[in-house]
Structure formats: C-alpha cells, structure tokens
Amino acid sequence: KGHAVRIDGKKKMAKIILALALAAQALVPTRTALKSTNVRANARSEMTMAADGGVVLIGVAADSGCGKSTFMRRLTGIFGGTNVGPLGGGFDNGGWETNTLVSDTTTVICLDDYHLNDRGGRKVTGRTALDLAENNFDLMYEQLKELKAGNAIKKPIYNHVNGTLDTPEEITPTQIVIVEGLHPMADPRVRELLDFSLYLDITDDVKFAWKIQRDMVERGHSLESIQQSIEARKPDFDAFVAPQRGDADVVIQVLPTDLIPDEKEGKVLKVKFIQKEGKANFDPAYLFDEGSTIEWTPCGKKLTCSYPGIKFAYGPDEFLGNDVTVLEMDGKFDNLQELIYVESHLSNTATKFYGELTQQMIKMGDSPGSDNGTGFFQTLASLKIREFYEKLSGVEVEVEAPAKVAA
C-alpha cells in the first residue's frame, strides 16, 4: 500500500524566492548544443550522423487534431538547434509543399507521406487513411532503416492541400529523427527500428468536446454532422491506431476532469503520464516517494488555484497488460511561474537545472495546453526523451542555465 503524504508548509523561503526568480527568467533564451562525450561521437559531422547506427529514431503516434504539432514544438525546443523550419524553406518561401520540419539537430517526418494512394485513389478503394492497407509500410521500413543507418533517402510527399502524392524530397538524417503520425508502431518492422515511442491518447469524450468547439462553435457545423464524422472514422481508428498504445514507452492520456461533475466542454482536463516499466535508459518520473501511491492537492499559499483547483496523483498501475508508473494531474494552473513549486516535488524529471521544466512551460505559455496537464506532461516527456537520447547516444545536449540569483 502507498504512503500518505502531508506537505510541510514551512519550506525555506529562500528556496521559493530562488525558484520564482529562476522562473521569471524563463523567457530569456537559453542556448543549447550537442556535445560529444566519446571519441566515436566526436567523429560525427555537426549536421548529420555517420552511417554507424548513430541516429536515434523516435516515434510519436496520435490521431489528427490531438496535439502532435504542439508536442513537436516542445520536443524540438528541448533539443535546441538552429535554422528550425520546413525542409527547403516551405512553399511560401520558394520551396515546395512539405510536411518535414528540420533543424541542425532534429528532423521531423510526417508519416502521412507514406500513404499508398492519393485522396482520389482512396475514393476508389473505399478505404480511409487510417486503414493499414492504405499505407506503404514496406517503403516506410526500408527508408527509416536507411535513415537510422545515417543514409539519405528520397521520401514521398503527401500534399495535404490538394490530396496528391508529390515529387519525392531528399532527407539527410540529423542526430535525432522523429517520425509522427497515425501508425509509427503499427508495423512490427518499423516498431523494432524505434528507439523510443510515445502515444498521445485523447479519449473519445475529450475528442468530441474539442471537435464541437472547433467545428460547431468556430466553423458553424451542425452537431449531427460532427457526430457522423466522428462515428464514421471511429471503427478504423479503434482497429488500426488505438492498439499502438500498448506498444508505446510513454502514453499521455487526456480524459475529462473528475473535479467538475458532468463537465462536457473539455476545458478542464485530467491527464495521465503513463510510463512503461523496464525500458532501458529510462527511469520513470515520480512524485515525492518512489513506488508509493499518492494523492496531492498543492493549492495553498504557494500555488494559486481558482475553481475547481488542482489535484495530482502518482502510483504503480497496469495499462494494456504492461506494468507502468503513472503521474496524473487534474485541473488548471493559474500562474505558470508558481509551477516551480510542483516541479520541486517531482523526481527523475531529467531537468539540467532547477526550474527548467517551469522555464520551458513559460516559454510556450501561449501554446495549447500550457495551463494544464497536456502541456505539463508533454514538456516532461520532452525532457525525458532528451535524457534518453543522451544515455543511448553518449552525446550530451548542452543547456545554458539562467544566471544564478542570490537567495
């Protein structure tokens, strides 16, 4: 059984002053760089990895409209790098219509590019893009294997604007290659190539609430048409996408809040950070006492909470047949700078300096989910993936911490 935890309200004031000072500096840009920690890494070029198996491949699975783009910004921001943007500059800057985002350290590939047929072709087959039969897993596997070996590829492009398959583009791998989309873990060959995998799991009730907000409130669609749209794609989603949750190393699961009875708008959320046990080079983050079962309501003098408040939980569990460690947050933050108080009670967060998690949250304070558990756990996941990369590759991601503030 878990241990009950009571928070001591007499924490040293100097620590809190230091914490808030660090958080206040979060908007000051920090510089990051990759520093080799072994001879083999030193021999690699600054822009690409040699063909020695040095590329670290990360898979992120999620349905459309579930926060992949925001998570990609958080993750690539943690790794740093410069020249972030679309491959070739993008269509609006003299390039081409691309789904690939690059920096000098990361490459993000959208797996929609491996659709077997264009939009017109799927009308002929009568299948959706969710269906495994509409995706070219043979090519996906061969090309990701080449990237992982440090070799350039000519990758197809699925044009989301007009639904066509465009002229392939050349991808030269960077140290970190992230593949995101509907099916990064669906094919066992591709799954085996992944060094780390994450699934963004938005439950049906929250998806419905978000879609109503977007399509009915903002776009004027009827409730009936929204329900029909969701119900039409649900069988394929449940059959071809959702089963990947059991293969992911980390699942960020978004559910309706328990703090407000019958809350249907999806504006207050309960979010779970589900970490698979036994993953090499990955030590699950925990709250207070590792291995315990804990519920914590941090609202008080050090964390401002308006209705309905905030509640955290932590403990061991089982998820789809896997032993897992689960962190949970229900509610919203009122003041991101006070998040340092919560951060100080978490362990194994993979931060490089006191307050880094809070700093990263403040940097993306205007992004979706930055006031709740979705942004909080996406940021934590990014820090943990950075740590995983360092352990696996032997390459240190250098981060310049804010100047120390006298207590």
Side-chain angles (χ1 to χ4, degrees):
K1 291 186 177 179
H3 310 297
V5 172
R6 178 170 56 87
I7 307 305
D8 181 7
K10 296 181 179 180
K11 291 278 186 181
K12 291 182 179 180
M13 185 57 68
K15 185 174 182 180
I16 297 300
I17 292 173
L18 172 61
L20 291 175
L22 284 169
Q25 291 194 21
L27 293 176
V28 178
T30 55
R31 294 182 299 182
T32 59
L34 296 181
K35 179 182 180 182
S36 302
T37 56
N38 56 50
V39 175
R40 186 178 175 194
N42 273 321
R44 295 172 182 149
S45 76
E46 191 173 330
M47 292 294 289
T48 62
M49 305 295 276
D52 59 359
V55 172
V56 174
L57 189 61
I58 299 165
V60 178
D63 198 2
S64 59
C66 286
K68 289 194 302 292
S69 297
T70 302
F71 179 57
M72 289 302 101
R73 290 197 298 274
R74 294 185 193 278
L75 181 56
T76 55
I78 292 289
F79 278 105
T82 57
N83 303 316
V84 181
L87 181 67
F91 185 78
D92 293 335
N93 292 301
W96 55 92
E97 196 69 52
T98 182
N99 302 312
T100 305
L101 297 175
V102 294
S103 74
D104 59 343
T105 57
T106 57
T107 302
V108 180
I109 293 173
C110 175
L111 294 181
D112 288 358
D113 288 337
Y114 292 99
H115 287 340
L116 188 63
N117 294 303
D118 60 16
R119 197 173 293 159
R122 289 198 300 275
K123 289 180 179 179
V124 174
T125 64
R127 297 187 296 246
T128 72
L130 299 164
D131 194 319
L132 299 185
E134 281 294 333
N135 293 271
N136 191 343
F137 288 106
D138 289 340
L139 182 62
M140 185 190 299
Y141 167 67
E142 291 297 334
Q143 293 202 336
L144 294 184
K145 183 171 68 171
E146 287 298 306
L147 286 176
K148 195 170 170 66
N151 301 321
I153 61 169
K154 285 281 191 179
K155 183 189 61 58
I157 300 173
Y158 180 78
N159 189 319
H160 288 96
V161 177
N162 54 30
T164 58
L165 294 170
D166 291 355
T167 303
E169 61 188 0
E170 183 168 344
I171 305 289
T172 302
T174 47
Q175 296 97 322
I176 304 108
V177 173
I178 304 163
V179 293
E180 57 90 3
L182 295 168
H183 305 111
M185 294 165 267
D187 184 277
R189 299 167 300 171
V190 175
R191 186 167 65 240
E192 188 66 25
L193 291 175
L194 298 176
D195 294 299
F196 195 90
S197 56
L198 183 141
Y199 188 106
L200 299 175
D201 183 22
I202 316 299
T203 55
D204 290 343
D205 288 343
V206 175
K207 273 187 196 176
F208 185 62
W210 286 359
K211 198 164 180 63
I212 285 178
Q213 177 64 33
R214 185 188 69 183
D215 291 352
M216 190 165 80
V217 176
E218 298 175 10
R219 299 180 181 176
H221 296 185
S222 69
L223 182 61
E224 292 75 16
S225 68
I226 295 170
Q227 288 175 323
Q228 288 173 0
S229 172
I230 291 174
E231 290 168 3
R233 69 194 312 277
K234 181 172 169 55
D236 277 359
F237 180 85
D238 290 345
F240 303 121
V241 180
Q244 295 172 100
R245 293 178 302 167
D247 294 312
D249 298 312
V250 166
V251 175
I252 299 178
Q253 187 177 62
V254 183
L255 306 110
T257 181
D258 289 337
L259 301 176
I260 304 174
D262 300 320
E263 203 281 331
K264 300 293 185 184
E265 295 183 4
K267 293 183 178 179
V268 181
L269 302 167
K270 179 171 75 172
V271 185
K272 293 185 176 184
F273 189 67
I274 303 169
Q275 308 163 90
K276 187 181 288 184
E277 292 283 355
K279 173 69 175 178
N281 298 309
F282 183 87
D283 299 315
Y286 63 90
L287 181 65
F288 294 113
D289 185 16
E290 188 172 15
S292 297
T293 299
I294 291 165
E295 291 187 353
W296 178 40
T297 302
C299 302
K301 293 182 179 179
K302 297 171 183 175
L303 190 70
T304 306
C305 299
S306 57
Y307 178 82
I310 297 176
K311 184 177 180 181
F312 281 85
Y314 160 75
D317 205 345
E318 185 176 312
F319 182 72
L320 299 177
N322 300 309
D323 291 329
V324 296
T325 294
V326 181
L327 279 169
E328 177 184 308
M329 177 191 161
D330 197 348
K332 297 172 68 173
F333 297 113
D334 283 351
N335 184 347
L336 281 181
Q337 293 194 6
E338 294 177 349
L339 180 59
I340 192 76
Y341 176 62
V342 174
E343 180 179 349
S344 68
H345 291 87
L346 290 169
S347 296
N348 280 353
T349 57
T351 55
K352 289 181 175 286
F353 58 86
Y354 185 67
E356 186 183 9
L357 195 160
T358 299
Q359 181 198 62
Q360 291 294 333
M361 285 285 287
I362 293 172
K363 277 184 177 180
M364 293 195 61
D366 293 333
S367 297
S370 291
D371 63 348
N372 62 44
T374 58
F376 183 69
F377 288 134
Q378 284 182 11
T379 303
L380 179 58
S382 300
L383 293 167
K384 295 296 292 180
I385 290 171
R386 181 183 67 186
E387 179 185 60
F388 173 85
Y389 165 77
E390 291 180 326
K391 290 180 178 180
L392 185 66
S393 68
V395 178
E396 180 185 354
V397 181
E398 291 188 310
V399 175
E400 184 180 340
K404 289 185 178 180
V405 179

